[in-house]
Structure formats: structure tokens, C-alpha cells
Amino acid sequence: MGQKVRIVHIINSLTFGGAEAMLCSLLLRTDRDRFEPSVAALIDDMSVAAPLAAAGIPVFTAGMKPGVADPRGMVRLALHLGRKKPAIVQTWMDHSNLIGGVAARAATTAKVVWGIHHSNHVKGVAKRTTLLTVAACATLSRRVPTRIVCCSEHARRVYGKNGFDGERMMVIPNGFDVAAFSPDAGARILIRDELDIATDAIAIGLIARYDPLKDHAGFLHAAAIVARRFPSARFVLCGDRVDQKNRALMATIESLGLGRQCRLLGARNDVAKIYSALDIVASSSISEAFPLVVGEAMSCGVPCAVTDVGDSAMIVGDTGRVVLPGDAGALASAMCELISMGTESREKLGQHARRRVRELFDLGAVTRRYEALYDGLVSREVRGDAVALEGLATKEPIPA
């Protein structure tokens, strides 16, 4: 067996989030006989790092602080990369693309692969430092990365319009473990008992960290409309900072008279079980690239009502409902339509959703596409000639 390909994955942190979850899923599926992966986190937040430690995947932290430009952290990262001597450095988000890309170029001869896991940076919501970071990356995209992997077709288009080198960009979608995320009748009973939700009540979930881009207020306004038509409906909100300590969230819930109908769970490590307790999952986001929550819910056989942002409409296809972002009335109508179709029709729709995820977004297939990209980059380095990367990912939308 030949020498393993050493890869360092650089990410902002290992907190709760879509890119972080996808990185962990990819690493746990990576062929360890062929690849030697490790992680470097810019910020010391290890909220989702436990599975990596259990799998023996090393994690280094650069000791940076959120929102603070710290040259010492970049130096620590560059020294770490110099010691590791990776063949490939894969970065995962805007800030780690910039910081990790520059550090990798300064300290190694590694091939650099950037990761794009965002799409629209909404004015008035996106931080100025983030906008400056994206602009800097656009300028450096022709010199630092060998390849730029976008998690969605929408992200590829948006970042291309923002000045990123289109010739280096490719799409590898997020993937889902259809074994881990699957319908679970037992979990449905247990979670509903825990949350005091009747067996025959409609339960609608919003699984998202508290962030302006997720538009919790929009979801709650839609929920208030649904509750007037279906008083027994219950709304399950799960995610980081989604709890009773969040005064802004609680104020919105109380102002809409939803205190009795809402269940606030905060961050949970048993999200797959939460999905199984739900009848519908909503995504009210005003900006997404490729939302993991939607694919996870579909994999669990739960139909979704989503806003038309990022690749959400493409993911859902004809297995749910899609509405314009920022329109609480339209989102409420979509949820009411799914409720009104009845249990049997809704379950058939959920089965169709699970088949769609298995056919288009299986985690094993997505992992192989990343591995094929890495193999191609290493082979190119060894041979010194061009390598065809077409077929590893697509520059066209994934067919519905």
C-alpha cells in the first residue's frame, strides 16, 4: 500500500453549524487506509469535536478569538502546517479560506482547496469583516486555491458574480447518512412524551441556530397563522441559543400568543430522533447555500416547507413546498397545505423525500467525490501533467 495522503482541514471552529457537521461527517467516512486527515480550528470551540476525538482524528486549535484579527493565531497555524507537511489543505468557510489559504501558501507546498458553504451575504445582516474577507478571497482566488469546492450550485453562481475565479470552482453537494437519519417510530413516541405532544397532534419543527439569517421571527409569525387554523398544532424549535434564556425569541413568542404551543429545545445531540417526532419541518431562512436540516429531515421521511434560498428548492424537488423568503403568510399556507393533505398522503410524501435524498445526496457517494478530488490533485502533483476533474463534481445543477 502506498503512502497515505496527508490532509489538514481548516475550519473557523467546531461549533454547531452546517459546514462543521459536513466536515465531521466527511472525516468519519474518509478512507483512513488511503488518507491521513486532521483538523485545525481557528477558534477554540469544540462543541461537535467529540466524534473526531473518538475516531482518533487529531484536532489543533490556533487560539484565535471570534471577531478579533490576531496575527499570532495565523503564525501558530502556519507553524502547525509547516510541521504537518500536508499534501492537501482543505479550508471550509470564508474566514478559514482566507487565513488558512494564506498560511498554507506561506508554510507548505500543499495543494489548497477552498470550501464555500455560504451564498448571499445579506446587507444589514452580514458583518463588515465578513464582507471584507469575501472580497479579499475573490482577489486571491486566482492565486491561492487550486480548486474551490462549493456546496451548492447557488453558492457557485453567487461567488462567481462576486469575482471568484470560475475556472477553479466546482460543486460537491452536502451529503446525508441515510442510515443515521431514518424514520424511527420508537423515537417518535419517546420525544413526544418528553415534549408533552399528543400522539395525534401535528408537530412542526424549525431546526436552526438562532441567527438573523434563519428568520425565527418569520417562522413564528407563520406558526401563529397556522395555530389559528389548527389550534392543536405544536411548534418545536431546536438549535443553539433557541431556549428560554433568549429574551428576544421569548418576547416574539409571547407577543404572538404562542407560549403554550412552542417547545424550545436549545442545542441537541439527538436531532435525528427529533426529526422522527415531527410531521413537517420548516426552513424560514432568508439566505442559505445547501441547508443540511432540509436533507436530514427528508432522510427521516419528513416533508419540508422551505423558502426558496440557495439550493433548497432543488433539494426538496416535488417532495415538499417552496415559498419566497420573508413571506410568513406564504410559509403558513405551505404548512397548512401539508397538514390538510392528511397523515397517509403526508407519509407517502415523506417516503418520496427519503428516496430523493438516498438517490441524489448519499453521504457515501459525496465522500467518494471528495476523495476523488484529492486523489486527482495528488496524481497531478506526481505526474506533473493535467488531470481531468470533470465528473468528480458538477458545474450544472443536480437534476431533480
Side-chain angles (χ1 to χ4, degrees):
M1 184 177 296
Q3 186 176 4
K4 294 181 182 180
V5 178
R6 185 172 296 169
I7 305 174
V8 176
H9 295 265
I10 301 176
I11 195 163
N12 297 0
S13 70
L14 287 168
T15 189
F16 297 97
E20 295 85 353
M22 185 58 213
L23 170 59
C24 291
S25 295
L26 175 66
L27 290 176
L28 296 176
R29 284 292 189 103
T30 295
D31 184 350
R32 302 284 287 280
D33 290 331
R34 295 163 49 214
F35 300 95
E36 183 184 326
S38 65
V39 178
L42 304 183
I43 299 167
D44 186 10
D45 186 331
M46 299 290 106
S47 300
V48 297
L52 301 182
I57 297 171
V59 177
F60 166 85
T61 58
M64 297 184 181
K65 302 295 181 184
V68 178
D70 184 359
R72 296 172 300 177
M74 181 176 281
V75 170
R76 285 191 288 269
L77 177 62
L79 291 173
H80 173 72
L81 293 175
R83 291 190 295 268
K84 296 290 287 187
K85 295 181 173 58
I88 295 170
V89 170
Q90 162 88 67
T91 59
W92 280 79
M93 300 174 77
D94 293 324
H95 291 86
S96 52
N97 288 341
L98 178 60
I99 295 170
V102 170
R105 280 285 180 253
T108 76
T109 60
K111 299 290 185 182
V112 176
V113 180
W114 278 358
I116 304 296
H117 290 263
H118 197 79
S119 57
N120 301 85
H121 292 279
V122 180
K123 291 182 179 179
V125 176
K127 296 179 181 178
R128 183 171 179 270
T129 52
T130 298
L131 298 177
L132 291 172
T133 297
V134 172
C137 285
T139 301
L140 294 173
S141 66
R142 288 159 180 80
R143 288 183 288 170
V144 171
T146 303
R147 282 303 232 180
I148 303 172
V149 177
C150 303
C151 73
S152 73
E153 173 62 23
H154 182 76
R156 186 183 73 82
R157 289 196 300 268
V158 168
Y159 275 70
K161 290 178 181 178
N162 287 340
F164 281 65
D165 185 359
E167 293 301 312
R168 298 174 193 240
M169 298 175 80
M170 61 194 296
V171 176
I172 302 180
N174 288 333
F176 305 95
D177 186 340
V178 295
F181 290 94
S182 61
D184 186 337
R188 181 179 179 86
I189 294 170
L190 289 173
I191 296 297
R192 283 185 170 238
D193 282 348
E194 175 193 341
L195 302 181
D196 191 25
I197 298 176
T199 304
D200 58 349
I202 290 291
I204 301 174
L206 179 72
I207 314 299
R209 70 184 184 277
Y210 191 74
D211 185 291
L213 296 178
K214 305 301 182 182
D215 194 12
H216 284 74
F219 169 77
L220 290 169
H221 279 85
I225 298 172
V226 173
R228 287 196 290 271
R229 183 171 172 187
F230 299 97
S232 65
R234 296 294 180 263
F235 305 96
V236 179
L237 289 79
C238 176
D240 191 34
R241 296 185 61 222
V242 181
D243 53 39
Q244 293 184 354
K245 296 178 182 178
N246 187 324
R247 293 183 179 179
L249 182 62
M250 291 301 298
T252 303
I253 290 171
E254 293 302 325
S255 70
L256 293 168
L258 289 172
R260 187 174 63 86
Q261 289 97 333
C262 285
R263 306 289 188 269
L264 305 184
L265 309 188
R268 297 274 294 235
N269 293 320
D270 58 347
V271 178
K273 291 182 171 61
I274 303 297
Y275 290 127
S276 289
L278 303 174
D279 299 291
I280 299 165
V281 165
S283 174
S284 53
S285 298
I286 60 173
S287 178
E288 288 282 1
F290 190 109
L292 284 178
V293 164
V294 174
E296 290 172 353
M298 291 169 61
S299 186
C300 289
V302 183
C304 296
V306 306
T307 49
D308 189 5
V309 292
D311 278 10
S312 295
M314 181 275 293
I315 299 167
V316 169
D318 61 355
T319 73
R321 299 294 182 269
V322 181
V323 302
L324 292 176
D327 189 338
L331 183 59
S333 295
M335 293 190 288
C336 287
E337 186 177 342
L338 291 172
I339 294 171
S340 297
M341 69 169 47
T343 301
E344 184 177 350
S345 295
R346 200 166 46 248
E347 287 179 350
K348 288 181 179 178
L349 199 61
Q351 292 165 6
H352 181 25
R354 178 167 167 78
R355 285 195 300 271
R356 183 174 176 82
V357 171
R358 188 168 56 240
E359 292 168 1
L360 295 181
F361 311 116
D362 176 71
L363 179 59
V366 168
T367 301
R368 289 192 294 273
R369 290 167 75 171
Y370 272 102
E371 292 178 343
L373 168 62
Y374 301 149
D375 279 333
L377 293 176
V378 173
S379 297
R380 181 180 180 180
E381 179 72 16
V382 172
R383 294 197 309 265
D385 59 7
V387 65
L389 292 175
E390 290 78 6
L392 305 182
T394 179
K395 291 187 177 181
E396 300 300 327
I398 298 172

